[in-house]
Amino acid sequence: MTEFDAGLEQYRSELVAYCYRMVGSANDAEDLVQETLLRAWRAREQYDTARASIRTWLYRIATNVCRTALAGNGRRALPSGLVAPRDPLAPFALETEIPWLQPLPDSAVEATDPAVASAARSSLRLAFVAVLQHLSARQRGTLILRDVLAFSAAETAQILDMTVVAVNSSLQRARSRIREVGRGSEIVEVPTAGEQRLWLERYMAAFVAADVEALKQLLAADVVMEMPPLLNWFRGPHNYGLFMDWVFDANGRDWRLLTVAANGQPAFAAYNRVEGEYRLHTLQVFTVTHAGISRNSVFQDPEIFAAFKLSLTLN
């Protein structure tokens, strides 16, 4: 690997995080970063150190790559951002034509720089990335570059090929739109990683015991459960409990859980016993607040399972 190649590779993790925030897909983000690095390598002779740092230059390329990708599909969503809540026992409504927001493995954005790691954890939360999807591509880029990655207005203008005045105007509009649609989903203060882990451990113990009442005690009053690609979603501990009673009746009470890390949030893969083996059932990503678990985003997509390198069975 040449010195130039090594210089590119050191930014891979943060570029994956950037592209993920832009497009809302873990698999697409990896592909877009690969395209970004390939374009940079091909244009290496044109790179001018006097005009921009290599990091700024790479973000300019990545932004253009993301814009092209977003031209055909501008928004990924979660069910709670698309349709009204449903009865927790309503028939499942499968919707495969909608490009759903995907979770991102923490391993995809591991960073050696503590500042980068901190920014990644706080700004990769599913609810925040879902809100970003309501912005135009330019507004997403402006908000992420300025408010998340702390690029200056001048650097952001260079990356986005805009004037500083246009950057400031775009940032104002993006912040306004975030407040309008965010409904508290912005980057907010959350419990420490250790505290969140304790909440998850208690939830996992109650889940393995199929103790629905214990599960309900861990939920915030406004808890949401959603399950893309199903349109079904609902709110509140009572509805959550009704659904979990159904889950255990329909899928049995013999489960094994494997902790994983997604979007800087606690998560686990759930395996239920079927015909003598434990089969992968769902990946569940939790939002934990000081009031309890406020959201459980449940995924059952083979593409997502593959992104997290989850085994389809457990011994």
Side-chain angles (χ1 to χ4, degrees):
M1 180 180 291
T2 67
E3 183 178 346
F4 184 83
D5 293 331
L8 298 182
E9 281 296 324
Q10 69 176 309
Y11 296 106
R12 179 182 288 274
S13 288
E14 62 175 285
L15 287 171
V16 169
Y18 176 65
C19 291
Y20 173 73
R21 296 184 193 99
M22 289 289 287
V23 302
S25 164
N27 288 329
D28 288 355
E30 293 280 3
D31 291 343
L32 294 171
V33 170
Q34 194 63 32
E35 175 65 18
T36 296
L37 297 179
L38 179 60
R39 289 190 187 185
W41 187 84
R42 287 173 174 168
R44 62 192 183 281
E45 299 300 331
Q46 286 76 49
Y47 170 59
D48 184 354
T49 58
R51 297 185 60 186
S53 69
I54 192 169
R55 182 169 182 251
T56 299
W57 182 61
L58 284 172
Y59 271 91
R60 181 183 175 91
I61 298 172
T63 299
N64 289 332
V65 170
C66 288
R67 280 177 171 174
T68 299
L70 290 169
N73 177 25
R75 178 187 173 195
R76 287 180 174 265
L78 290 173
S80 59
L82 280 182
V83 297
R86 301 191 176 200
D87 184 287
L89 301 181
F92 287 151
L94 180 65
E95 179 52 75
T96 58
E97 297 302 314
I98 293 174
W100 295 106
L101 185 69
Q102 297 178 340
L104 179 72
D106 278 11
S107 59
V109 291
E110 288 178 348
T112 55
D113 184 337
V116 172
S118 178
R121 282 193 300 271
S122 62
S123 63
L124 287 170
R125 296 168 67 82
L126 274 171
F128 180 69
V129 178
V131 172
L132 286 176
Q133 303 300 298
H134 290 269
L135 305 178
S136 69
R138 176 171 288 189
Q139 288 173 349
R140 283 183 218 180
T142 304
L143 185 82
I144 297 166
L145 292 169
R146 293 286 287 119
D147 285 357
V148 175
L149 299 174
F151 279 99
S152 69
E155 290 171 321
T156 301
Q158 188 175 29
I159 291 169
L160 299 178
D161 194 22
M162 299 165 61
T163 66
V164 170
V165 171
V167 164
N168 291 334
S169 177
S170 179
L171 182 59
Q172 277 192 324
R173 290 194 299 271
R175 287 172 175 169
S176 177
R177 182 63 173 152
I178 286 285
R179 288 192 295 269
E180 179 184 339
V181 302
R183 296 183 297 277
S185 298
E186 305 93 326
I187 304 173
V188 296
E189 182 182 354
V190 297
T192 66
E195 290 170 333
Q196 292 184 61
R197 186 166 55 250
L198 289 175
W199 279 102
L200 183 68
E201 288 173 355
R202 293 167 63 192
Y203 186 97
M204 292 172 66
F207 191 104
V208 169
D211 188 340
V212 174
E213 289 304 312
L215 289 175
K216 289 165 62 177
Q217 294 302 311
L218 300 171
L219 307 176
D222 59 349
V223 65
V224 165
M225 179 183 277
E226 55 194 339
M227 303 164 282
L230 301 176
L231 291 173
N232 305 62
W233 72 279
F234 46 83
R235 189 186 303 275
H238 175 70
N239 288 331
Y240 199 108
L242 290 176
F243 183 76
M244 291 308 301
D245 279 328
W246 175 86
V247 167
F248 292 129
D249 287 342
N251 299 283
R253 287 168 162 73
D254 190 353
W255 296 77
R256 288 186 180 176
L257 307 180
L258 177 68
T259 57
V260 296
N263 296 77
Q265 300 173 236
F268 64 67
Y271 294 76
N272 66 316
R273 189 172 180 84
V274 180
E275 299 178 354
E277 63 181 1
Y278 291 93
R279 297 180 184 173
L280 181 57
H281 187 264
T282 51
L283 172 68
Q284 305 186 28
V285 183
F286 295 85
T287 300
V288 180
T289 69
H290 291 290
I293 293 169
S294 64
R295 183 179 298 264
N296 182 5
S297 299
V298 182
F299 300 91
Q300 202 172 35
D301 183 342
E303 186 177 84
I304 293 174
F305 293 162
F308 280 80
K309 297 180 173 59
L310 293 171
S311 173
L312 296 181
T313 60
L314 290 180
N315 296 326

